[in-house]
Amino acid sequence: MSEEQHKPEHRSRPTSQAFRDFVAQGWAPRSEERPQRAEAAAYAAARRAEVSSAFPGERLVVPAGGLKVRSNDTDYVFRPHSAFAHLTGLGADREPDAVLVLEPQTDEDGNDAGHEAVLYFRPLAGRDTEEFFGDSRYGEFWVGARPTLEDAEAELGVTARHIDDLKDHVAKDAGSVSVRVVREADVDVRDMVDRARATEARTDERTEKQRELDAEFARQLSSLRFVKDEWEVQQMRDAVEATSHGFEAVIADLPEAIERGRGERWVEGVFGLYARHEGNGVGYDSICAAGDHANTLHWIKNTGDIKPGDLLLLDAGVEVDSLYTADITRTLPVSGTFSEAQRKVYDAVYAAQEAGIAAVRPGATFSDVHAAAIRVIAEHLYEWGLLPDGVSVEDTLDTEKGQYHRRWMVHGTSHHLGLDVHDCAAARREEYMEGELRPGMVLTVEPGLYFKADDELVPQELRGIGVRIEDDVVVTEDGRENLSGFMPRSADDVEAWIKGVWSR
């Protein structure tokens, strides 16, 4: 724990030896039953094997990260670093300060024999320790019991050791064994590894080279998440299903959101209730944007009213306990029906999304999806006379001298989705943007049109209308599957959806 994170406390606690003796006795024996092997464990082991083969003979350090102070002596809810979760199978709020080390192994002849997975973490403390009753950050009295070393080994199928042993093991043979660390995951572990790697002969050039090796390690771990295994795809299905329940709850409560005032906050709260109840919480800050707020792409303040006749752009996703998240957007007429102008914009975005989804298939590139959707956007803007005089669809699609249409859709159409809402973000640009789509990849398709209320280049009836439609699509062997496609998308279906929910 860093000094910055460790805040002094001003609580009065008994400190006498008599009290320590008293508090340590009189407890029922702890169960010796071990947890069953986690369903995720076998999949995590296969991922570790891929990492092992990519970095033979190297010590690989993947921290979960530590608790972060929210205010004074209260912490944010812990979420492990995504690379750690991916390689261990641990999700939810497990385990702060833990570190996964892939320790290189050799056979009897000194040949590479892969890696041993070792999880260093803070195990359950004995009832005769100060930590048990006196540590408000980690103590069982304060935050509940943690697993034992034996529990972790049974659940995850790895070797478990106390976190206090990490420093010596990381430094062991550091001069002869190459060590890589996910630098951004935990500053304290990063510094520990840097100190272990340091030598008297170390130069700035060697230090920079080591950081490049660490960066390549992080990129490899990010790229490993491009293709989801069957277990991961099921987690995505579960996240989408939970998200759909949250959307329906929001629809059911739209009249209340209008009536209450600050309706965007009401919507955020309703969806958050379902996210926390059916999953680990929201996968990202929900965008609950009514009226012109929909034209602010990352509107997460959610401070506005919702008025009759508004459109509500709801961009939200449930993160399930395994930390896989959905990312879905629906634009809803809060009074139940679209106006003529709203429907005009909505239908254009829907047509663009249909084209984008159709472009998702094995062998296509990631950028093909955006190209298909943005062409439809450009065609509609041209038909509506919004492009500058003399600019054709082909002119505006020219990336060197056009792009006028991007005034009304400045973002990309897609991103990879998984443990992070913008998954695989550390991968190389050429591997991401021009990468070939492969079965098991999950990506969003989310075109939009955004006509700000003060945009004098669009007709008055379109100003203040913002529409985005977003779905989560998995690449299959012969095409694609829209995981969230069961949630109504067309204008007619959305209106029928709202009517159906309200009639229950």
Side-chain angles (χ1 to χ4, degrees), residues 134-350:
D135 190 326
S136 62
R137 206 175 207 199
Y138 298 104
E140 184 178 349
F141 252 55
W142 299 83
V143 297
R146 293 190 304 275
T148 65
L149 297 177
E150 295 78 13
D151 288 339
E153 291 182 340
E155 181 183 3
L156 304 176
V158 300
T159 300
R161 293 178 182 156
H162 198 289
I163 189 65
D164 290 349
D165 297 335
L166 176 66
K167 181 178 179 180
D168 289 341
H169 284 276
V170 165
K172 182 183 65 175
D173 303 326
S176 57
V177 175
S178 176
V179 183
R180 301 196 195 214
V181 62
V182 179
R183 300 186 66 82
E184 74 276 9
D186 189 310
V187 63
D188 294 329
V189 176
R190 177 201 69 193
D191 291 346
M192 179 191 301
V193 171
D194 282 346
R195 286 191 296 270
R197 293 187 296 206
T199 66
E200 292 182 4
R202 197 166 194 84
T203 65
D204 290 342
E205 183 178 349
R206 285 186 63 189
T207 298
E208 183 59 31
K209 177 63 175 178
Q210 186 61 63
R211 290 180 178 174
E212 290 176 4
L213 293 176
D214 289 344
E216 177 59 26
F217 180 42
R219 283 192 290 269
Q220 288 272 13
L221 295 183
S222 191
S223 298
L224 180 63
R225 303 208 304 270
F226 272 131
V227 175
K228 274 64 179 175
D229 57 42
E230 59 182 356
W231 183 84
E232 292 177 287
V233 172
Q234 184 57 51
Q235 296 304 301
M236 301 297 295
R237 292 186 195 280
D238 294 345
V240 167
E241 180 69 22
T243 299
S244 73
H245 299 160
F247 270 73
E248 292 215 340
V250 166
I251 291 172
D253 241 25
L254 282 176
E256 191 78 7
I258 294 171
E259 181 67 25
R260 290 269 182 169
R262 283 228 297 185
E264 291 176 346
R265 285 286 171 94
W266 189 265
V267 167
E268 179 184 348
V270 169
F271 186 84
L273 168 64
Y274 277 75
R276 189 62 173 156
H277 183 251
E278 296 196 23
N280 189 51
V282 293
Y284 54 95
D285 288 333
S286 300
I287 297 170
C288 309
D292 193 44
H293 286 164
N295 296 309
T296 300
L297 298 180
H298 291 161
W299 178 257
I300 58 173
K301 294 180 180 179
N302 299 336
T303 53
D305 294 331
I306 298 178
K307 300 183 292 295
D310 276 349
L311 293 179
L312 171 68
L313 190 158
L314 177 58
D315 184 336
V318 173
E319 175 187 86
V320 292
D321 289 340
S322 61
L323 303 182
Y324 289 81
T325 186
D327 180 8
I328 297 168
T329 306
R330 291 293 183 267
T331 304
L332 308 166
V334 300
S335 297
T337 56
F338 293 98
S339 71
E340 183 178 350
Q342 290 169 347
R343 180 179 279 264
K344 175 180 178 179
V345 177
Y346 190 96
D347 286 347
V349 174
Y350 177 70

Side-chain angles (χ1 to χ4, degrees), residues 42 82 304 344 483:
S82 293
K344 175 180 178 179
L483 297 176

Side-chain angles (χ1 to χ4, degrees), residues 421-443:
V421 66
H422 291 156
D423 210 24
C424 314
R428 296 182 184 278
R429 177 176 173 81
E430 59 270 23
E431 187 179 12
Y432 196 116
M433 299 302 297
E434 299 304 324
E436 182 178 297
L437 297 183
R438 290 171 282 161
M441 287 183 168
V442 180
L443 56 149

Side-chain angles (χ1 to χ4, degrees), residues 60 115-116 132 143-144 180 224 236 255 261 264-265 330 341 346 348 355 363 367 375 379 381 396 400 462 489 492 502:
L60 308 173
H115 289 77
E116 177 189 16
F132 172 61
V143 297
R180 301 196 195 214
L224 180 63
M236 301 297 295
E264 291 176 346
R265 285 286 171 94
R330 291 293 183 267
Y346 190 96
S367 59
R375 173 172 287 276
E379 289 170 349
L381 294 172
T396 193
E400 297 298 323
L462 298 185
R489 291 190 298 123
D492 287 344
W502 287 351

Side-chain angles (χ1 to χ4, degrees), residues 468-487:
R468 182 165 63 252
I469 312 170
E470 177 181 18
D471 284 270
D472 303 341
V473 181
V474 60
V475 184
T476 62
E477 294 291 341
D478 57 358
R480 87 291 302 165
E481 177 190 352
N482 186 350
L483 297 176
S484 49
F486 64 92
M487 296 174 63

